[in-house]
């Protein structure tokens, strides 16, 4: 498309400007994707180069090192011990001993079983004396996969530590050659609360994240390539095994019919994804603009009892969501308070189908989300509005700008600029907003065409509640859940990438000033 | 003549304009007051209804009217004949431990990422950003299996629950990192020049300045477990003594339970909401500070 210069752009009318910007945005996507691919390729090349350099460095350390260094390649920490760094040496040695012990006793077994995920399932034997069947449990696919992944983590950690051990030797030789003393164990301990304090501080949080987030995520990504479900739980009924890309085929192929419903998984996935995006869009922007509006109303000059209004709204944040959401969901029920009130006033004859009609349910969910979200946005907006310099408004007023112009020319650009990243996280957060949907509707009303596609899929189900239903449903198709999870990740990552790469306000932080 | 007119305008017009402005401002303010009153009513109605219905005696069914025909404390008395006190204690203990441990972990993480410049810092932050794009729900399946292998589910769900709440909390470092970023680095450097270790800088300089963010972190960490529903339900798995209030009360609204326990749900909801709300209202100032700071930082 034609690209205008700044001057030509300024000459365009308002609508042409908007259209031009929009067109630029979409024509920019291929370039952005290409750049991304280039960067990934660059990253791979860089990594290859880094590995080559590391290997060369290791080799030169070995060739040029003395006998202590050379022996350290086999016995970790030997160099440290021989040069008097007892603490470091002992730690290295201990790690090596533990690692070898683990690999011999358990790790080797888990690794060797990883390609098959177990060979012998539970077997039943008939005991003639007692006249009963006894079941012997043999391999456990779940544990094999879990400990297999853990062992791989351990091996990576070992390689890293071994590399550190080699580096230390090189460094020690250099320091000794220059005639300086090496750090003692006491110095090492001291540095843990000083120069190396960040390692001490990060040890606990990172261990938690590694064990309770990274490990499960790696595990669940791998599950997407197996047939792990309720009938293949890997232990007490059937083992599960690798199935390659079959599950992705099931989920994304239009020709594969789902279990109970009439449509394919792909169609269901498309519908749920569409609704998820619509929901996230409306949930984010209704809250954003209405919250900003309420904040401006409360903060307007001359409005009294500011604190009272604010406190009333903040009450919704304070009260645990499960109480307010569950209660509100019952208020809107067919026989709930709201319908009862409207009928007793004679305004309606029949109960309104808040939760029974797909469109009604979707709109109601978005409306109630406004009730949940406005107070929070009100707080955010209040904080930011206070930061807008008052003289901006002053001079605008002198120039004769009316309140609407002041809003669109000062308040809104400032807000959008400051909260750009927040809007993005709030959009992705809403895509995964489990609580609001699950506690309000539980996904209902049910979509008959999609139902049976792993749990009763409803019209208000988001991908995340669908995922939950799949795992807790009768068949517990964990493999499908993890495919959905991976797809959610892909969608969220793509949106974030595009927005981050194309939104000017995020790239050029100084633009607004 | 012309001079006169000029004079007239200059003496008269501002007064007129002022009057017009005043009138339109009163109109605007009145409509804003009306709006705010309407908003307040809409926002408060559910809470008023839930309190009123919790005092209803004549029926435990979800009636379509609000004001009880017969008032009484029957629902509250009935609560104590169920497992509710147990759920309440469970949740309270979980909230207490989570508040303490999570605060320590989050502060360690955010302080480090804000103050130290080490080789892996940027990579670490990017890595955590990517991790947070995976739906957390996915990890529940495996965490549940692991906890159940360790015997930390069902009746013993509490320690397992606390462990899971706390373990990954380091990922939520954004808000407090934003706070630490605003404390001038020159303070640290001055102390370092005077020979203080990094640990001493943290203990003697940063921590005394960090009261607002500590309170914010404790508050949000304490409130989390009261509302957690998904994982708590997974871990307690139908065993009443291992549930928290959210799971227990949710079950009372099941199709086969709601007829006899709807008003009890209301009473339970009121009892859960009171301490959390009171605490929140007392510490509101710090919450607002944290929220506004966090949103601006992104």
């Amino acid at each position: 498309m034609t690209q205008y210069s700044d001057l030509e752009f300024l000459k365009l009318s308002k609508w042409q400007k908007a259209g031009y910007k929009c067109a630029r945005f979409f024509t920019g996507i291929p370039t952005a994707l290409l750049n991304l691919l280039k960067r990934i390729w660059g990253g791979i090349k860089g990594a290859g180069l880094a590995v080559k350099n590391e290997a060369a460095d290791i080799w030169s350390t070995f060739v040029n090192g003395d006998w202590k260094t050379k022996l350290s390649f086999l016995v970790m920490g030997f160099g440290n011990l021989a040069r008097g760094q007892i603490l470091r040496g002992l730690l290295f040695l201990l790690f090596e001993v533990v690692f070898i012990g683990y690999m011999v006793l358990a790790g080797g077994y888990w690794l060797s079983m990883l390609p098959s995920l177990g060979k012998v399932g539970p077997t039943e034997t008939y005991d003639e004396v007692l006249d009963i069947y006894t079941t012997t449990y043999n391999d456990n696919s779940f544990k094999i996969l879990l400990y297999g992944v853990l062992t791989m983590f351990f091996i990576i950690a070992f390689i890293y530590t071994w590399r550190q051990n080699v580096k230390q030797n090189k460094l020690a030789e250099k320091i000794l050659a220059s005639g300086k003393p090496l750090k003692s164990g006491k110095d090492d301990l001291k540095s843990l609360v000083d120069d190396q304090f960040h390692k001490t501080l990060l040890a606990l949080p990172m261990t938690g994240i590694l064990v309770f987030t990274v490990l499960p995520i790696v595990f669940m990504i791998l599950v997407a390539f197996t047939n792990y479900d309720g009938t293949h739980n890997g232990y007490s009924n059937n083992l599960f095994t690798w199935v390659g890309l079959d599950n992705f085929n099931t989920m994304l192929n239009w020709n594969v019919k789902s279990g109970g419903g009439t449509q394919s998984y792909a169609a269901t996935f498309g519908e749920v994804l569409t609704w998820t995006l619509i929901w996230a869009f409306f949930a984010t922007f209704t809250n954003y603009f209405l919250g900003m509006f309420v904040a401006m109303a409360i903060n307007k000059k001359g409005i009294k009892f500011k604190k009272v209004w604010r406190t009333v709204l903040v009450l919704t944040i304070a009260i645990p969501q499960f109480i307010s959401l569950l209660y509100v969901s019952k208020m809107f029920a067919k026989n709930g308070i709201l319908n009862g009130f409207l009928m007793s006033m004679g305004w309606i004859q029949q109960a309104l189908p808040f939760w029974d009609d797909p469109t009604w349910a979707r709109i109601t969910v978005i409306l109630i989300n406004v009730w949940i979200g406005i107070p929070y946005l009100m707080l955010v907006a209040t904080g930011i509005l206070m930061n807008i310099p008052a003289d901006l408004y002053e001079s605008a007023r002198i120039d004769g700008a009316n309140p609407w112009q002041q809003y669109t020319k000062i308040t809104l650009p400032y807000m959008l600029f400051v909260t750009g990243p927040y809007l993005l996280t709030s959009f992705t957060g809403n895509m995964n907003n489990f609580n609001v949907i699950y506690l309000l509707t539980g996904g209902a009303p049910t979509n008959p065409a999609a139902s049976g596609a792993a749990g009763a899929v409803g019209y208000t189900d988001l991908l995340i509640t669908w995922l939950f239903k799949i795992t807790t449903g009768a068949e517990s198709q964990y493999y499908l859940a993890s495919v959905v999870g991976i797809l959610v990740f892909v969608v969220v990552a793509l949106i974030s990438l595009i927005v981050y790469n194309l939104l000017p306000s995020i790239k050029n932080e100084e633009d607004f000033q | 003549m012309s001079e006169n007119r000029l004079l007239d305008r200059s003496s008269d017009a501002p007064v007129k304009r002022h009057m017009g402005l005043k009138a339109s401002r009163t109109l605007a303010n009145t409509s804003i007051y009306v709006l705010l009153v309407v908003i307040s009513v809409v926002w408060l109605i559910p809470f008023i209804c839930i309190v009123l219905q919790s005092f209803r005696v004549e029926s435990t069914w979800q009636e379509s009217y609000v004001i009880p025909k017969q008032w009484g404390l029957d629902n509250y008395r009935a609560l104590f004949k169920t497992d509710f006190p147990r759920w309440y204690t469970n949740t309270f203990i979980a909230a207490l431990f989570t508040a303490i441990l999570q605060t320590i972990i989050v502060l360690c993480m955010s302080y480090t990422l804000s103050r130290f410049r080490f080789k892996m810092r940027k990579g670490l932050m990017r890595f955590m950003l990517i991790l947070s794009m995976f739906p957390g729900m996915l990890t529940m399946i495996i965490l549940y299996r692991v906890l159940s292998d360790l015997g930390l589910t069902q009746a013993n769900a509490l320690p397992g629950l606390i462990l899971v709440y706390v373990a990954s909390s380091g990922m939520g470092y954004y808000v407090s990192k934003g706070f630490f970023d605003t404390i001038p680095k020159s303070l640290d450097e001055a102390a370092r020049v005077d020979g203080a270790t990094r640990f001493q800088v943290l203990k003697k300089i940063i921590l005394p300045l960090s009261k607002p963010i500590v309170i914010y972190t404790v508050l949000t960490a304490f409130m989390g477990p009261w509302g957690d529903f998904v994982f708590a339900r997974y871990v307690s798995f139908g065993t009443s003594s291992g549930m928290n209030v959210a799971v227990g009360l949710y079950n009372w609204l099941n199709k086969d339970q709601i007829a006899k326990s709807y008003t009890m749900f209301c009473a339970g909801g009121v009892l859960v909401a009171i301490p959390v709300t009171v605490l929140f209202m007392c510490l509101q100032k710090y919450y607002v500070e944290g929220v506004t700071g966090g949103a601006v930082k992104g």
Side-chain angles (χ1 to χ4, degrees):
Chain A
M1 67 173 288
T2 50
Q3 199 170 336
Y4 297 124
S5 70
D6 286 353
L7 213 63
E8 283 169 323
F9 177 71
L10 285 174
K11 277 187 207 154
L12 297 175
S13 78
K14 208 178 193 180
W15 294 110
Q16 279 172 318
K17 268 185 199 166
Y20 176 71
K21 269 190 188 164
C22 214
R24 290 277 295 161
F25 180 84
F26 287 107
T27 48
I29 290 178
T31 331
L33 285 180
L34 203 70
N35 282 340
L36 182 72
L37 286 180
K38 267 187 202 156
R39 261 165 66 190
I40 292 174
W41 174 238
I44 294 172
K45 265 209 299 212
L49 211 66
V51 168
K52 214 173 131 191
N53 286 343
E54 287 285 285
D57 190 53
I58 292 170
W59 178 244
S60 82
T61 309
F62 186 76
V63 174
N64 302 328
D66 57 10
W67 66 275
K68 290 173 192 163
T69 304
K70 282 188 172 121
L71 199 55
S72 296
F73 274 62
L74 211 61
V75 184
M76 270 166 53
F78 182 80
N80 296 97
L81 285 172
R83 296 189 187 97
Q85 291 180 300
I86 308 294
L87 186 67
R88 286 190 195 189
L90 279 181
L91 283 177
F92 274 127
L93 198 61
L94 186 71
F95 188 76
E96 185 172 11
V97 169
V98 168
F99 178 76
I100 292 175
Y102 171 79
M103 287 308 283
V104 169
L105 293 175
Y109 167 76
W110 298 121
L111 271 189
S112 70
M113 295 300 273
L114 203 52
S116 64
L117 290 180
K119 286 163 188 142
V120 196
T123 44
E124 262 185 359
T125 41
Y126 180 63
D127 191 326
E128 280 181 24
V129 185
L130 294 166
D131 192 27
I132 46 164
Y133 283 99
T134 43
T135 316
T136 338
Y137 298 112
N138 301 303
D139 293 342
N140 184 338
S141 308
F142 185 89
K143 278 197 172 159
I144 291 172
L145 189 52
L146 180 63
Y147 287 109
V149 172
L150 206 61
T151 309
M152 302 243 256
F153 276 22
F154 208 18
I155 291 175
I156 293 170
F158 178 75
I159 292 174
Y160 176 79
T161 318
W162 182 81
R163 174 74 188 113
Q164 291 303 313
N165 157 57
V166 172
K167 263 190 194 162
Q168 293 249 325
N169 277 298
K170 191 180 171 186
L171 197 69
E173 278 184 32
K174 211 170 132 193
I175 291 173
L176 286 179
S178 69
K180 282 181 203 146
L182 289 172
K183 274 189 178 174
S184 69
K186 221 176 176 181
D187 293 332
D188 284 338
L189 285 179
K190 255 190 207 158
S191 79
L192 277 180
V193 292
D194 203 2
D195 291 326
Q196 304 293 318
F197 192 32
H198 61 275
K199 289 186 182 159
T200 321
L201 285 175
L202 282 183
L204 188 63
M206 285 317 289
T207 316
I209 291 174
L210 219 58
V211 176
F212 283 84
T213 306
V214 179
L215 181 64
I217 285 178
V218 172
F219 180 91
M220 286 316 294
I221 291 174
L222 292 175
V223 162
F225 302 94
T226 68
N227 59 351
Y228 176 33
D229 62 12
T231 52
H232 299 82
N233 68 8
Y235 180 57
S236 57
N237 44 30
N238 293 301
L239 300 180
F240 58 83
T241 184
W242 300 107
V243 297
L245 291 169
D246 283 7
N247 302 323
F248 287 89
N249 187 39
T250 311
M251 184 53 86
L252 297 173
N253 191 334
W254 290 88
N255 299 320
V256 178
K257 287 273 175 285
S258 64
T262 53
Q263 65 186 19
S264 62
Y265 280 111
T268 307
F269 179 78
E271 281 175 14
V272 178
L273 175 65
T274 315
W275 161 240
T276 305
L277 292 175
I278 295 175
W279 149 263
F281 179 82
F282 279 105
T284 307
F285 287 99
T286 48
N287 278 348
Y288 187 72
F289 285 104
L290 292 174
M292 191 175 10
F293 179 69
V294 172
M296 281 162 60
I298 293 179
N299 291 320
K300 192 171 181 297
K301 246 191 220 160
I303 297 290
K304 282 181 190 142
F305 315 119
K306 287 190 192 324
K307 234 186 169 169
V308 176
W309 308 122
R310 221 169 279 159
T311 310
V312 167
L313 287 175
V314 167
L315 206 62
T316 3
I317 304 180
I319 291 172
Q321 271 194 352
F322 82 94
I323 299 172
S324 46
L325 285 175
L326 280 177
Y327 188 78
V328 171
S329 117
K330 292 298 163 203
M331 275 177 78
F332 280 79
K334 218 169 203 167
N335 48 1
I337 301 169
L338 191 68
N339 270 320
F341 172 74
L342 291 174
M343 281 205 271
S344 70
M345 298 297 277
W347 291 342
I348 52 170
Q349 300 306 317
Q350 282 180 331
L352 296 174
F354 288 113
W355 299 137
D356 303 315
D357 180 80
T359 318
W360 275 84
R362 286 178 170 181
I363 293 173
T364 315
V365 166
I366 290 176
L367 281 182
I368 295 178
N369 186 60
V370 168
W371 183 78
I372 292 289
I374 277 190
Y376 191 77
L377 255 299
M378 188 266 304
L379 291 182
V380 171
T382 305
I384 297 168
L385 290 174
M386 298 227 183
N387 285 337
I388 303 182
D391 48 345
L392 274 181
Y393 290 107
E394 195 69 36
S395 49
R397 223 172 293 137
I398 290 170
D399 289 344
N402 61 29
W404 174 249
Q405 283 170 328
Q406 287 177 29
Y407 174 74
T408 52
K409 295 282 183 258
I410 302 174
T411 316
L412 193 59
Y414 191 93
M415 278 291 290
L416 283 175
F417 176 78
V418 177
T419 54
Y422 170 78
L423 269 178
L424 177 64
T425 46
S426 130
F427 185 87
T428 53
N430 272 321
M431 279 184 66
N432 290 329
N433 199 337
F434 180 86
N435 265 3
V436 170
I437 297 294
Y438 194 79
L439 294 178
L440 279 181
T441 67
T446 318
N447 177 354
S451 286
V457 190
Y459 285 104
T460 55
D461 259 324
L462 304 178
L463 286 172
I464 194 82
T465 55
W466 186 29
L467 193 161
F468 180 72
K469 281 183 176 177
I470 294 174
T471 60
T472 50
E475 293 168 47
S476 301
Q477 289 156 308
Y478 300 119
Y479 58 87
L480 273 190
S482 93
V483 170
V484 172
I486 291 173
L487 293 175
V488 169
F489 169 76
V490 170
V491 172
V492 171
L494 266 183
I495 291 177
S496 311
L497 260 179
I498 291 174
V499 173
Y500 261 109
N501 281 322
L502 292 178
L503 267 195
S505 74
I506 295 172
K507 249 188 286 178
N508 312 326
E509 277 191 37
E510 310 300 321
D511 258 9
F512 190 76
Q513 282 81 12
Chain B
M1 185 62 185
S2 64
E3 247 192 301
N4 209 0
R5 200 186 282 158
L6 252 177
L7 264 177
D8 264 8
R9 205 183 272 161
S10 59
S11 65
D12 208 60
V15 178
K16 251 192 198 160
R17 251 184 70 198
H18 186 69
M19 297 264 298
L21 251 178
K22 207 177 169 190
S24 75
R25 185 174 288 165
T26 353
L27 186 72
N29 280 4
T30 322
S31 46
I32 286 179
Y33 278 124
V34 172
L35 181 86
L36 287 177
V37 169
V38 170
I39 286 179
S40 304
V41 170
V42 170
W43 254 257
L44 285 179
I45 273 185
F47 304 126
I48 295 170
C49 291
I50 199 172
V51 172
L52 287 176
Q53 289 193 328
S54 72
F55 289 111
R56 185 171 68 203
V57 174
E58 75 270 13
S59 138
T60 56
W61 174 247
Q62 168 197 13
E63 304 288 352
S64 58
Y65 59 90
V66 176
I67 297 164
K69 298 195 168 101
Q70 203 187 339
W71 294 70
L73 290 171
D74 290 20
N75 296 316
Y76 291 91
R77 254 177 244 129
L79 271 184
F80 287 90
K81 292 187 190 110
T82 64
D83 270 341
F84 182 76
R86 177 72 192 266
W87 302 337
Y88 207 89
T89 337
N90 279 350
T91 320
F92 183 75
I93 294 172
L96 206 64
F97 276 93
T98 310
I100 298 168
L101 298 174
Q102 189 167 321
T103 308
I104 294 173
I105 286 189
V106 168
L107 291 183
C108 279
M109 194 83 188
S110 52
Y111 176 72
T112 313
L113 291 178
S114 160
R115 274 308 199 263
F116 295 83
R117 293 290 176 269
F118 47 96
K119 216 168 88 193
M120 293 298 290
R121 179 174 166 274
K122 276 263 163 72
L124 204 61
M125 282 162 70
R126 210 167 296 151
F127 181 59
M128 282 191 281
L129 184 72
I130 293 172
L131 277 186
S132 67
M133 288 179 186
F134 277 97
M137 195 84 50
L138 211 54
T139 61
M140 279 186 345
I141 303 159
I142 172 172
L143 289 180
Y144 171 71
R145 282 281 297 250
V146 171
L147 288 181
S148 91
D149 275 0
L150 295 172
L152 293 179
T153 50
Q154 307 200 339
N156 299 323
L158 198 53
L161 217 50
I162 296 172
L163 190 65
V164 173
Y165 288 151
V166 170
S168 294
S169 56
M171 308 237 305
Y173 64 84
Y174 297 96
V175 172
S176 36
K177 176 178 173 292
F179 178 87
F180 286 127
D181 285 342
T182 61
I183 300 178
K185 265 199 158 179
S186 51
L187 281 179
D188 299 36
E189 276 149 19
R192 295 273 290 155
V193 170
D194 289 346
T197 64
R198 290 274 194 186
F199 177 67
Q200 284 167 330
V201 171
L202 172 64
K203 199 176 129 199
K204 298 213 168 120
I205 295 174
I206 305 293
L207 273 185
L209 289 173
S210 309
K211 193 179 144 208
I213 203 64
V214 172
I215 293 177
Y216 170 83
T217 318
V218 171
L219 181 64
T220 44
F222 183 82
M223 284 174 62
W226 290 93
D228 177 58
F229 169 77
V230 193
F231 196 69
R233 190 171 116 165
Y234 236 96
V235 174
S236 59
F237 200 63
T239 309
S240 181
S241 57
M243 289 179 182
N244 71 359
V245 278
V247 180
L249 292 185
Y250 180 86
N251 289 342
W252 279 353
L253 293 185
N254 276 348
K255 276 200 185 96
D256 45 338
Q257 289 251 1
I258 191 167
K260 61 173 197 280
S261 48
Y262 179 76
T263 48
M264 237 160 46
F265 166 83
C266 295
V270 171
L271 287 188
V272 171
I274 286 174
V276 183
T277 313
V278 168
L279 185 74
F280 187 85
M281 287 300 164
C282 296
L283 302 174
Q284 209 196 110
K285 194 182 106 199
Y286 300 102
Y287 183 80
V288 173
E289 269 175 38
V291 164
T292 41
V296 174
K297 297 278 153 27

